[in-house]
Structure formats: structure tokens, C-alpha cells
Amino acid sequence: MDRSLMAALESLRIALHVTRVAIFRLHASDETYTLRRIYDIQTPSSRFVTRDHIVFPTEDVHCFAHLYDGNMFVGHTNELDGNVRTIFEEHAIQSFMIAPIFIHDERWGCVSVVDCEQKRMFSAHERAIFFALARTIGESIKREQTVQELQQLKQEMEQMNATLQRKMEEEVRKNREKRFYAY
């Protein structure tokens, strides 16, 4: 999945003419929301983002409320407040579009596109395509998790079968010895 996902993100970056496209995994606690970057595609000329983890105090994430309702968060950095604005400014983000990724009806993370070169409006068509891609990414991740779970179960079954086979062979051997010594 990694190669095809990276190709899809690169195609999205090119089609939308944006600086960066990234997928983040969300880890929430009572005090913080941590976004861990999983995938990242950016223009070759852009400044490389070195932070893999972005931590927001819970009181600062009210601007992300749309994501928690399953909606997109679209705007410009100068419209943001507090730590969120500071972090976006540190990454030279001018415009952004962020969509939630749900897996098994739970917020798993988000996918984002950012433009660091200009303040821009994303069209309704761009928003619709982007939102559909976020849903597709969620389904792909869910399918990948299911495949991994099935592989794990298969491996466990193979181990149980091997153990059962050894026990059966041992019992057969013991029964043969009993019969041999009984004569």
C-alpha cells in the first residue's frame, strides 16, 4: 500500500498545485492532541519539515472542531489563534485543507494539503476530491489493518496446527510403544 499511497499523494499535490500533502496519525489524551506524521510529499524546492510530531494542548484545538465532526477544516493561517497559528507559521503555511480519516467509525488521523507559496481559496471541486481521497485513505488503511490481522491469525493457526501435529505424533508414538511392550 505504501507505494500506491505515496503515488496518490504526489498526484494530489501536483493536481492541487500545493506545497505539501501529509497524513497524520492522531493520538489524544486529556491534555494534548498529538499528530504524528506518517506520510509526507512536498515540492522539491520547499523547506523540509523536520517535525514528525506536533503536539497541541487540548484547549488550543477548538479550531479543529470541524474534523471531530467528520468535516474538513479549510482556511488560512492568519485566521488561526494561539499555538495552532504559531505552529502553522513555523511551517510557513499560508493556506490549508485538512480532512479527517476515520477507521471503524473512529477518528484515526487526518490528511492535509498546504500551500506555503500563496494564500488561496480551494474550490468546491478541489474540496470534494480531497474529502473523497481522505475517505479512500481511511478505507485503504482499514483494509491494510484487516489484512495484517488475518495474516496474524493465519500465523497463530499455523503455530497451533504445528503444536497439535507434534502432540498427535507424540501420542501415536506412545501408543505404538505401549502396544509393542504389551506383546
Side-chain angles (χ1 to χ4, degrees):
M1 180 179 96
D2 290 343
R3 189 176 304 156
S4 60
L5 182 58
M6 295 299 276
L9 295 179
E10 178 65 11
S11 296
L12 180 66
R13 187 193 64 73
I14 291 168
L16 293 177
H17 305 288
V18 293
T19 310
R20 253 188 319 271
V21 179
I23 296 176
F24 294 92
R25 177 75 167 103
L26 172 67
H27 299 280
S29 71
D30 290 339
E31 298 86 31
T32 62
Y33 286 92
T34 302
L35 293 173
R36 184 172 54 93
R37 189 167 31 134
I38 305 292
Y39 298 101
D40 185 13
I41 297 288
Q42 57 189 24
T43 56
S45 61
S46 68
R47 180 177 61 146
F48 185 73
V49 178
T50 57
R51 280 172 113 178
D52 285 332
H53 291 77
I54 302 171
V55 179
F56 298 102
T58 53
E59 64 268 7
D60 288 345
V61 294
H62 63 278
C63 62
F64 290 127
H66 301 297
L67 296 175
Y68 304 124
D69 296 333
N71 299 309
M72 290 186 5
F73 180 42
V74 182
H76 305 105
T77 298
N78 64 348
E79 299 167 347
L80 301 173
D81 298 320
N83 289 333
V84 175
R85 181 177 183 156
T86 301
I87 289 170
F88 277 48
E89 287 173 343
E90 286 174 3
H91 290 91
I93 297 169
Q94 291 192 37
S95 303
F96 57 87
M97 211 171 19
I98 305 170
I101 296 173
F102 285 89
I103 298 178
H104 303 293
D105 297 326
E106 292 182 25
R107 286 184 301 269
W108 180 89
C110 62
V111 59
S112 69
V113 296
V114 300
D115 195 326
C116 297
E117 296 174 9
Q118 63 180 334
K119 185 176 174 182
R120 61 178 281 192
M121 299 297 292
F122 293 99
S123 71
H125 181 70
E126 290 172 325
R127 290 176 188 215
I129 289 170
F130 181 65
F131 196 66
L133 178 65
R135 286 194 311 268
T136 303
I137 290 169
E139 290 301 316
S140 295
I141 292 169
K142 182 168 52 175
R143 186 174 46 252
E144 184 72 21
Q145 286 178 344
T146 301
V147 166
Q148 288 175 355
E149 289 169 5
L150 287 172
Q151 287 173 340
Q152 177 68 29
L153 287 172
K154 180 183 174 196
Q155 195 174 36
E156 289 172 10
M157 281 182 53
E158 288 171 351
Q159 289 172 348
M160 287 190 302
N161 283 339
T163 300
L164 182 59
Q165 181 68 31
R166 283 191 304 274
K167 287 181 179 181
M168 284 177 34
E169 289 170 358
E170 180 66 22
E171 288 300 317
V172 167
R173 184 187 61 75
K174 287 179 182 177
N175 285 337
R176 283 185 183 149
E177 286 177 3
K178 282 182 186 177
R179 275 190 268 139
F180 179 75
Y181 291 118
Y183 292 117

